Amino acid sequence: MVDLKGQYRHIKERVDKSVLDVIESTAFINGPEVHQFQKELEDYLGIKHVIPCANGTDALQIAMMGLGLKPGDEVITPDFTFAATVEVIALLGLTPVLVDVDPVTFNIDVDAIKRAVTSKTKAIVPVHLFGLAANMDEIMEIATAHNLFVIEDNAQGIGGAYVSKDGTKKKTGGIGHVGTTSFFPSKNLGCYGDGGAIFTNDDDLAYSIRGIVNHGMYVRYHHDVVGVNSRLDSIQATILRAKLPHLDEYNNARRNVARKYSLAFSGEENIITPICFCDSEKYSFENCNCHVYHQYTLRVLNLDRDALAKHLNDQDIPCGIYYPIPLHLQKAYRDDRYLESDFKVTNQLVTQVISLPMHTELDDEQIDYITNSVINFVTR
Ligand SMILES: *Cc1c(COP(=O)(O)O)cnc(C)c1O
């Protein structure tokens, strides 16, 4: 699904030297590389504060701790996402409220959010799923109307942008009160191990979070709040510094692959290709980064999706089913209050979605091989 080795080859010299330099410096924890990376990511994103941490799951948990969410508070999040999002809500004793998604964007359905808001709701966690920005204008409006926090799970969307109704363009992760990301190796900006970060433009929240990631310490050996130990290693930071200048180029390479895939499938009525707003009025085709294609995910209709997956695997084409089971049906997250009729879209998507290989190193020959194989199956 990804070709990390091919990508590494292009940046090997810089990466190897940087990693060796960190080892020579022995500044393994909270070293200068971590601070430099933090500054460079703040500049890139146009966000005031980046707080690096150990992984994207911690980032979500720490964001919720920083906002002061308390047991019993309800947090609304999509039914169709990776489990990390709902996991930390439950772990903190908050009450997850899963809602359905939109069938076209795969992102949280804003009408479902409106129906789910109660007097106990304290936050919404939209996920920019597969790299496409959620409907942030409406989400922020709902949040403002009900005095809710918005935590953007940007683990799949880094480098992507969102254009608001008023025409302002912002990078995802910097639109809500706080944003989070993951530097897991296969993410669009991945390190060579685990890593993550929290983003916010709020000075007080940033101050609070900087203490939380460091055992609740604001003054050395004074523990004001219960915190965690969640750090980005210097070695990972230096690798991220080598990759960050290429992030736009990486995301462009992904978009080009997506464009070729979608073009190849354009005549297939049983294949729904991912939506991209590149040619809508809000975005211009040349510099559209509304979608950064963490995954290129098709919906297949009137076809046996699992047989297609097997067909691809038989021809040595990897593919992924993200995600095969709705979160509300997972044993850990079941809740008597849920009605199956509230999850019509997710229940259908889990039987229809299939993600094709997506990375920065795919060439035309591979793309043709993959698309031909899909079309052969569909038209046989
Ligand atoms: C990858 C991912 C996470 C978790 O990131 P880790 O670094 O693996 O902890 C959270 N949310 C989403 C949507 C993800 O894709």
Side-chain angles (χ1 to χ4, degrees):
M1 291 296 278
V2 295
D3 179 7
L4 296 176
K5 211 167 203 171
Q7 191 187 58
Y8 165 63
R9 266 186 226 120
H10 299 291
I11 52 172
K12 181 175 175 5
E13 235 170 275
R14 156 113 198 234
V15 168
D16 292 1
K17 181 177 185 309
S18 308
V19 169
L20 288 174
D21 285 350
V22 171
I23 295 172
E24 279 296 332
S25 79
T26 70
F28 297 119
I29 302 287
N30 278 331
E33 289 298 306
V34 178
H35 298 280
Q36 280 303 323
F37 172 64
Q38 174 196 315
K39 285 207 191 75
E40 287 160 6
L41 191 58
E42 285 166 354
D43 286 346
Y44 172 82
L45 293 170
I47 295 175
K48 221 166 154 191
H49 304 282
V50 166
I51 302 108
C53 66
N55 57 67
T57 309
D58 274 10
L60 283 161
Q61 176 181 334
I62 293 157
M64 290 177 204
M65 292 169 77
L67 291 170
L69 301 183
K70 294 276 167 342
D73 289 351
E74 292 180 2
V75 180
I76 298 173
T77 198
D79 192 33
F80 189 60
T81 179
F82 181 57
T85 327
V86 64
E87 179 178 55
V88 299
I89 298 171
L91 202 60
L92 290 173
L94 315 174
T95 305
V97 177
L98 295 167
V99 301
D100 211 357
V101 296
D102 178 275
V104 175
T105 63
F106 303 145
N107 278 324
I108 193 163
D109 177 345
V110 288
D111 291 322
I113 299 177
K114 286 180 195 160
R115 288 193 295 272
V117 172
T118 72
S119 58
K120 290 185 185 161
T121 308
K122 288 284 152 42
I124 308 169
V125 188
V127 180
H128 304 306
L129 200 73
F130 304 147
L132 179 67
N135 187 343
M136 292 306 294
D137 277 341
E138 292 215 39
I139 292 167
M140 296 310 293
E141 266 170 38
I142 300 169
T144 306
H146 298 278
N147 208 11
L148 312 176
F149 294 118
V150 174
I151 304 158
E152 293 175 75
D153 181 345
N154 198 30
Q156 301 187 4
I158 196 148
Y162 179 80
V163 180
S164 295
K165 274 185 252 175
D166 64 7
T168 53
K169 185 172 184 175
K170 280 188 191 164
K171 290 249 166 64
T172 52
I175 304 162
H177 300 89
V178 56
T180 65
T181 202
S182 162
F183 303 123
F184 185 81
S186 65
K187 300 285 157 101
N188 291 34
L189 178 63
C191 57
Y192 295 167
D194 274 311
I198 304 141
F199 318 134
T200 185
N201 287 308
D202 180 327
D203 296 341
D204 294 335
L205 183 58
Y207 175 81
S208 162
I209 286 174
R210 281 187 210 289
I212 291 171
V213 297
N214 189 25
H215 303 289
M217 272 196 295
Y218 297 88
V219 175
R220 207 167 168 77
Y221 299 123
H222 292 255
H223 303 273
D224 292 358
V225 296
V226 178
V228 294
N229 167 23
S230 189
R231 296 184 282 236
L232 180 72
D233 290 345
S234 301
I235 288 183
Q236 300 306 337
T238 206
I239 291 162
L240 289 164
R241 286 192 71 200
K243 289 180 79 171
L244 181 60
H246 299 286
L247 180 57
D248 286 344
E249 173 197 313
Y250 290 162
N251 284 338
N252 275 329
R254 289 171 175 274
R255 269 193 293 277
N256 280 327
V257 173
R259 218 166 269 166
K260 288 174 185 168
Y261 276 156
S262 292
L263 194 65
F265 299 135
S266 59
E268 302 303 327
E269 56 185 23
N270 286 326
I271 297 180
I272 303 181
T273 55
I275 181 102
C276 176
F277 301 108
C278 288
D279 25 39
S280 74
E281 265 170 49
K282 279 207 307 190
Y283 299 87
S284 76
F285 193 72
E286 291 70 37
N287 63 3
C288 177
N289 43 0
C290 66
H291 206 318
V292 292
Y293 293 100
H294 174 61
Q295 296 295 347
Y296 181 89
T297 303
L298 299 172
R299 279 176 72 190
V300 293
L301 311 179
N302 309 312
L303 286 167
D304 182 345
R305 187 268 320 268
D306 294 332
L308 170 59
K310 186 177 177 306
H311 167 84
L312 294 175
N313 285 331
D314 287 346
Q315 304 203 13
D316 291 328
I317 299 170
C319 60
I321 308 301
Y322 311 117
Y323 296 92
I325 304 168
L327 289 175
H328 79 276
L329 293 178
Q330 299 282 0
K331 213 166 160 187
Y333 305 114
R334 279 187 201 154
D335 189 317
D336 290 341
R337 294 178 306 173
Y338 294 144
L339 299 173
E340 277 313 299
S341 56
D342 289 333
F343 300 102
K344 284 201 187 93
V345 177
T346 303
N347 286 341
Q348 191 173 52
L349 289 179
V350 295
T351 68
Q352 295 177 333
V353 289
I354 183 162
S355 302
L356 300 182
M358 175 49 81
H359 54 83
T360 55
E361 311 303 312
L362 279 165
D363 60 30
D364 286 352
E365 201 183 320
Q366 292 170 314
I367 294 169
D368 286 346
Y369 183 70
I370 294 164
T371 54
N372 285 335
S373 175
V374 172
I375 291 170
N376 282 343
F377 178 86
V378 172
T379 54
R380 74 182 179 187

mmCIF file of all heavy atoms in Angstrom, residues 54-58 60 81-82 84-85 127 129 153 155-156 181-184 187 194-196 294 323, ligand 1:
data_model
loop_
_atom_site.group_PDB
_atom_site.id
_atom_site.type_symbol
_atom_site.label_atom_id
_atom_site.label_comp_id
_atom_site.label_asym_id
_atom_site.label_seq_id
_atom_site.Cartn_x
_atom_site.Cartn_y
_atom_site.Cartn_z
ATOM 1 N N ALA A 54 4.088 11.811 21.471
ATOM 2 C CA ALA A 54 4.602 10.487 21.114
ATOM 3 C C ALA A 54 3.869 9.806 19.958
ATOM 4 O O ALA A 54 4.444 8.959 19.281
ATOM 5 C CB ALA A 54 4.587 9.578 22.347
ATOM 6 N N ASN A 55 2.618 10.109 19.756
ATOM 7 C CA ASN A 55 1.854 9.480 18.656
ATOM 8 C C ASN A 55 0.520 10.216 18.511
ATOM 9 O O ASN A 55 0.164 11.052 19.340
ATOM 10 C CB ASN A 55 1.631 7.976 18.923
ATOM 11 C CG ASN A 55 0.929 7.723 20.236
ATOM 12 O OD1 ASN A 55 -0.235 8.062 20.400
ATOM 13 N ND2 ASN A 55 1.644 7.156 21.200
ATOM 14 N N GLY A 56 -0.206 9.859 17.474
ATOM 15 C CA GLY A 56 -1.454 10.561 17.180
ATOM 16 C C GLY A 56 -2.585 10.245 18.143
ATOM 17 O O GLY A 56 -3.504 11.052 18.308
ATOM 18 N N THR A 57 -2.510 9.082 18.756
ATOM 19 C CA THR A 57 -3.537 8.716 19.742
ATOM 20 C C THR A 57 -3.340 9.538 21.016
ATOM 21 O O THR A 57 -4.298 10.099 21.565
ATOM 22 C CB THR A 57 -3.472 7.204 20.046
ATOM 23 O OG1 THR A 57 -3.487 6.487 18.806
ATOM 24 C CG2 THR A 57 -4.630 6.761 20.908
ATOM 25 N N ASP A 58 -2.083 9.631 21.468
ATOM 26 C CA ASP A 58 -1.780 10.503 22.616
ATOM 27 C C ASP A 58 -2.205 11.930 22.318
ATOM 28 O O ASP A 58 -2.728 12.628 23.191
ATOM 29 C CB ASP A 58 -0.263 10.526 22.882
ATOM 30 C CG ASP A 58 0.203 9.384 23.771
ATOM 31 O OD1 ASP A 58 -0.598 8.470 24.036
ATOM 32 O OD2 ASP A 58 1.381 9.410 24.196
ATOM 33 N N LEU A 60 -4.612 13.106 20.595
ATOM 34 C CA LEU A 60 -6.046 13.281 20.812
ATOM 35 C C LEU A 60 -6.367 13.311 22.309
ATOM 36 O O LEU A 60 -7.146 14.138 22.789
ATOM 37 C CB LEU A 60 -6.818 12.131 20.161
ATOM 38 C CG LEU A 60 -6.981 12.195 18.645
ATOM 39 C CD1 LEU A 60 -7.337 10.824 18.090
ATOM 40 C CD2 LEU A 60 -8.062 13.211 18.278
ATOM 41 N N THR A 81 -14.364 5.710 11.194
ATOM 42 C CA THR A 81 -13.002 6.251 11.329
ATOM 43 C C THR A 81 -12.160 5.185 12.006
ATOM 44 O O THR A 81 -12.660 4.130 12.388
ATOM 45 C CB THR A 81 -12.976 7.561 12.149
ATOM 46 O OG1 THR A 81 -11.621 8.032 12.276
ATOM 47 C CG2 THR A 81 -13.524 7.377 13.541
ATOM 48 N N PHE A 82 -10.863 5.498 12.164
ATOM 49 C CA PHE A 82 -9.981 4.615 12.910
ATOM 50 C C PHE A 82 -10.344 4.710 14.398
ATOM 51 O O PHE A 82 -10.723 5.760 14.887
ATOM 52 C CB PHE A 82 -8.519 5.035 12.673
ATOM 53 C CG PHE A 82 -7.544 4.163 13.384
ATOM 54 C CD1 PHE A 82 -7.534 2.792 13.170
ATOM 55 C CD2 PHE A 82 -6.634 4.703 14.278
ATOM 56 C CE1 PHE A 82 -6.632 1.969 13.833
ATOM 57 C CE2 PHE A 82 -5.722 3.889 14.940
ATOM 58 C CZ PHE A 82 -5.726 2.522 14.714
ATOM 59 N N ALA A 84 -8.830 4.951 17.142
ATOM 60 C CA ALA A 84 -8.110 5.799 18.101
ATOM 61 C C ALA A 84 -8.968 6.963 18.572
ATOM 62 O O ALA A 84 -8.914 7.368 19.740
ATOM 63 C CB ALA A 84 -6.825 6.331 17.473
ATOM 64 N N THR A 85 -9.752 7.504 17.668
ATOM 65 C CA THR A 85 -10.528 8.698 17.959
ATOM 66 C C THR A 85 -11.502 8.429 19.110
ATOM 67 O O THR A 85 -11.575 9.206 20.071
ATOM 68 C CB THR A 85 -11.306 9.160 16.699
ATOM 69 O OG1 THR A 85 -10.544 8.856 15.535
ATOM 70 C CG2 THR A 85 -11.608 10.623 16.756
ATOM 71 N N VAL A 127 -13.023 14.111 11.844
ATOM 72 C CA VAL A 127 -11.809 13.480 11.313
ATOM 73 C C VAL A 127 -11.749 13.850 9.838
ATOM 74 O O VAL A 127 -12.755 13.713 9.132
ATOM 75 C CB VAL A 127 -11.899 11.942 11.460
ATOM 76 C CG1 VAL A 127 -10.648 11.276 10.904
ATOM 77 C CG2 VAL A 127 -12.127 11.551 12.912
ATOM 78 N N LEU A 129 -11.142 12.479 7.090
ATOM 79 C CA LEU A 129 -10.917 11.080 6.733
ATOM 80 C C LEU A 129 -10.334 10.910 5.333
ATOM 81 O O LEU A 129 -10.814 11.533 4.382
ATOM 82 C CB LEU A 129 -12.216 10.277 6.854
ATOM 83 C CG LEU A 129 -11.989 8.767 6.973
ATOM 84 C CD1 LEU A 129 -11.446 8.391 8.338
ATOM 85 C CD2 LEU A 129 -13.255 7.993 6.676
ATOM 86 N N ASP A 153 -9.213 15.849 14.209
ATOM 87 C CA ASP A 153 -8.286 14.723 14.078
ATOM 88 C C ASP A 153 -7.730 14.774 12.660
ATOM 89 O O ASP A 153 -8.365 14.351 11.702
ATOM 90 C CB ASP A 153 -8.997 13.394 14.346
ATOM 91 C CG ASP A 153 -8.046 12.205 14.250
ATOM 92 O OD1 ASP A 153 -6.933 12.375 13.717
ATOM 93 O OD2 ASP A 153 -8.425 11.104 14.699
ATOM 94 N N ALA A 155 -4.938 13.359 11.544
ATOM 95 C CA ALA A 155 -3.912 12.324 11.337
ATOM 96 C C ALA A 155 -3.796 11.929 9.872
ATOM 97 O O ALA A 155 -2.735 11.529 9.413
ATOM 98 C CB ALA A 155 -4.223 11.096 12.190
ATOM 99 N N GLN A 156 -4.904 12.038 9.124
ATOM 100 C CA GLN A 156 -4.879 11.629 7.716
ATOM 101 C C GLN A 156 -4.855 12.822 6.769
ATOM 102 O O GLN A 156 -4.849 12.640 5.560
ATOM 103 C CB GLN A 156 -6.092 10.735 7.412
ATOM 104 C CG GLN A 156 -6.114 9.491 8.299
ATOM 105 C CD GLN A 156 -7.204 8.488 7.924
ATOM 106 O OE1 GLN A 156 -7.922 8.660 6.950
ATOM 107 N NE2 GLN A 156 -7.304 7.426 8.711
ATOM 108 N N THR A 181 -2.324 15.398 15.083
ATOM 109 C CA THR A 181 -1.897 14.583 13.961
ATOM 110 C C THR A 181 -1.018 13.440 14.426
ATOM 111 O O THR A 181 -0.620 13.385 15.588
ATOM 112 C CB THR A 181 -1.195 15.419 12.871
ATOM 113 O OG1 THR A 181 -1.275 14.703 11.622
ATOM 114 C CG2 THR A 181 0.277 15.648 13.186
ATOM 115 N N SER A 182 -0.721 12.550 13.475
ATOM 116 C CA SER A 182 0.135 11.393 13.729
ATOM 117 C C SER A 182 1.255 11.400 12.706
ATOM 118 O O SER A 182 1.025 11.735 11.542
ATOM 119 C CB SER A 182 -0.703 10.122 13.565
ATOM 120 O OG SER A 182 0.140 8.989 13.379
ATOM 121 N N PHE A 183 2.444 11.011 13.153
ATOM 122 C CA PHE A 183 3.564 10.853 12.221
ATOM 123 C C PHE A 183 3.897 9.374 12.031
ATOM 124 O O PHE A 183 5.036 9.022 11.737
ATOM 125 C CB PHE A 183 4.793 11.630 12.719
ATOM 126 C CG PHE A 183 4.547 13.090 12.932
ATOM 127 C CD1 PHE A 183 4.770 13.684 14.175
ATOM 128 C CD2 PHE A 183 4.077 13.895 11.900
ATOM 129 C CE1 PHE A 183 4.537 15.029 14.391
ATOM 130 C CE2 PHE A 183 3.843 15.250 12.100
ATOM 131 C CZ PHE A 183 4.076 15.821 13.348
ATOM 132 N N PHE A 184 2.923 8.512 12.234
ATOM 133 C CA PHE A 184 3.079 7.081 11.962
ATOM 134 C C PHE A 184 3.687 6.932 10.559
ATOM 135 O O PHE A 184 3.345 7.713 9.658
ATOM 136 C CB PHE A 184 1.695 6.430 12.045
ATOM 137 C CG PHE A 184 1.692 4.932 11.915
ATOM 138 C CD1 PHE A 184 2.001 4.130 13.002
ATOM 139 C CD2 PHE A 184 1.373 4.324 10.703
ATOM 140 C CE1 PHE A 184 1.998 2.740 12.880
ATOM 141 C CE2 PHE A 184 1.372 2.943 10.576
ATOM 142 C CZ PHE A 184 1.693 2.144 11.664
ATOM 143 N N LYS A 187 1.687 7.585 7.348
ATOM 144 C CA LYS A 187 0.888 8.809 7.186
ATOM 145 C C LYS A 187 1.562 9.726 6.152
ATOM 146 O O LYS A 187 2.722 9.516 5.805
ATOM 147 C CB LYS A 187 0.741 9.524 8.538
ATOM 148 C CG LYS A 187 0.048 8.666 9.612
ATOM 149 C CD LYS A 187 -1.444 8.543 9.402
ATOM 150 C CE LYS A 187 -2.023 7.331 10.072
ATOM 151 N NZ LYS A 187 -2.698 7.473 11.318
ATOM 152 N N ASP A 194 7.168 6.017 15.927
ATOM 153 C CA ASP A 194 5.933 6.701 16.319
ATOM 154 C C ASP A 194 6.192 8.181 16.553
ATOM 155 O O ASP A 194 7.284 8.577 16.983
ATOM 156 C CB ASP A 194 5.374 6.079 17.609
ATOM 157 C CG ASP A 194 4.480 4.875 17.318
ATOM 158 O OD1 ASP A 194 3.586 5.009 16.455
ATOM 159 O OD2 ASP A 194 4.671 3.822 17.948
ATOM 160 N N GLY A 195 5.178 8.976 16.307
ATOM 161 C CA GLY A 195 5.259 10.402 16.588
ATOM 162 C C GLY A 195 3.900 11.034 16.408
ATOM 163 O O GLY A 195 3.018 10.455 15.763
ATOM 164 N N GLY A 196 3.722 12.208 16.989
ATOM 165 C CA GLY A 196 2.449 12.905 16.842
ATOM 166 C C GLY A 196 2.607 14.357 17.253
ATOM 167 O O GLY A 196 3.684 14.775 17.694
ATOM 168 N N HIS A 294 -4.671 10.592 1.789
ATOM 169 C CA HIS A 294 -3.999 9.608 2.651
ATOM 170 C C HIS A 294 -4.390 8.210 2.168
ATOM 171 O O HIS A 294 -3.565 7.306 2.124
ATOM 172 C CB HIS A 294 -4.395 9.811 4.107
ATOM 173 C CG HIS A 294 -3.843 8.737 4.986
ATOM 174 N ND1 HIS A 294 -2.492 8.523 5.107
ATOM 175 C CD2 HIS A 294 -4.445 7.782 5.727
ATOM 176 C CE1 HIS A 294 -2.294 7.480 5.901
ATOM 177 N NE2 HIS A 294 -3.451 7.017 6.282
ATOM 178 N N TYR A 323 -13.009 1.205 6.581
ATOM 179 C CA TYR A 323 -12.830 0.313 7.711
ATOM 180 C C TYR A 323 -13.891 -0.767 7.609
ATOM 181 O O TYR A 323 -15.005 -0.460 7.189
ATOM 182 C CB TYR A 323 -12.946 1.112 9.019
ATOM 183 C CG TYR A 323 -11.811 2.131 9.084
ATOM 184 C CD1 TYR A 323 -11.976 3.427 8.603
ATOM 185 C CD2 TYR A 323 -10.552 1.756 9.564
ATOM 186 C CE1 TYR A 323 -10.918 4.331 8.619
ATOM 187 C CE2 TYR A 323 -9.501 2.669 9.596
ATOM 188 C CZ TYR A 323 -9.698 3.951 9.117
ATOM 189 O OH TYR A 323 -8.657 4.839 9.114
HETATM 190 C C1 LIG B 1 -3.386 7.034 12.507
HETATM 191 C C2 LIG B 1 -4.563 7.662 13.115
HETATM 192 C C3 LIG B 1 -4.621 7.970 14.484
HETATM 193 C C4 LIG B 1 -3.617 7.494 15.474
HETATM 194 O O1 LIG B 1 -2.305 7.779 15.251
HETATM 195 P P1 LIG B 1 -1.147 6.920 15.965
HETATM 196 O O2 LIG B 1 0.064 7.758 15.741
HETATM 197 O O3 LIG B 1 -1.082 5.610 15.285
HETATM 198 O O4 LIG B 1 -1.481 6.816 17.404
HETATM 199 C C5 LIG B 1 -5.715 8.665 14.952
HETATM 200 N N1 LIG B 1 -6.727 9.001 14.149
HETATM 201 C C6 LIG B 1 -6.726 8.696 12.843
HETATM 202 C C7 LIG B 1 -7.885 9.118 12.003
HETATM 203 C C8 LIG B 1 -5.662 8.004 12.283
HETATM 204 O O5 LIG B 1 -5.681 7.687 10.981
#
